[in-house]
Structures are given as C-alpha cells and as structure tokens.
Amino acid sequence: MRIGELSEASGVSTRSLRYYESQGLIRSARTAGGWRDFDRSAVERVVMIQHLLAAGLSSATIGELLPCLEATAEERTGAMEVLLAQEVRRLEGKRRDIDRELEVLQALRRDIGQSAEV
C-alpha cells in the first residue's frame, strides 16, 4: 500500500505518516521505483498511534509502548504497565497544575468583580 492509500485508509495526513516513519513508529519497504510500500497492518498501527497521541503520549513513549501492545500476553514484561502508570502520574500532575491555575484565575475574577462594585 502506498503512502497516499495509507493516508486515506487511516485518515492521517501523509506528512504525519512520514513523521511516524522517521520516528520508527511505522515501517515501509521500498519499491523498485523508490516508493514507500506499507503493509496493510499499518492501518491499525497508525490508528493506535493516533489514539495514543490523543491520550497525550509523546512519540518517544509511543515508540516504547508499541512493541508491548503487539506482544502476546506471554511475551509481555510489564514494561507497558510501568510506562502507562508513569503517563497517568504525569497527566495527573498536569491536571493539578491546571486546577491550581484555574483557582488563581477564578479568585482574580472574584476580586475584580468585588472591586468594580465599590
């Protein structure tokens, strides 16, 4: 499957697909003419990459997770669970930071509202 076909099948731009390939997240063979040739299984892999990116994971972390996701239960080492737990803690920390920032902004809005009434 050519890159345009993969793009259409997955709903992901060719630019993103080239980036994923440069990061080692997807692989292609080359035709005699030098065109990228992706396996049909790349569609599922690209969709999984999109889900992981939407969850806030970096491409580096995704690169670490993909082999775990593709491994059979017997082959799994627990690395995926560790990485996912780290990502959950990272996102929870971000949420705490955002909540703190919202509290400051809401207090400022209250203060401004009170001073406008004076």
Side-chain angles (χ1 to χ4, degrees), residues 31 38 53 58 62 65 88 94 98 101 105 118:
T31 66
F38 292 93
L53 286 169
S58 69
I62 292 170
L65 282 176
V88 166
K94 284 177 74 172
I98 290 169
E101 291 167 4
L105 287 173
V118 176

Side-chain angles (χ1 to χ4, degrees), residues 5 7 14 17:
E5 296 169 316
S7 174
T14 56
L17 295 173

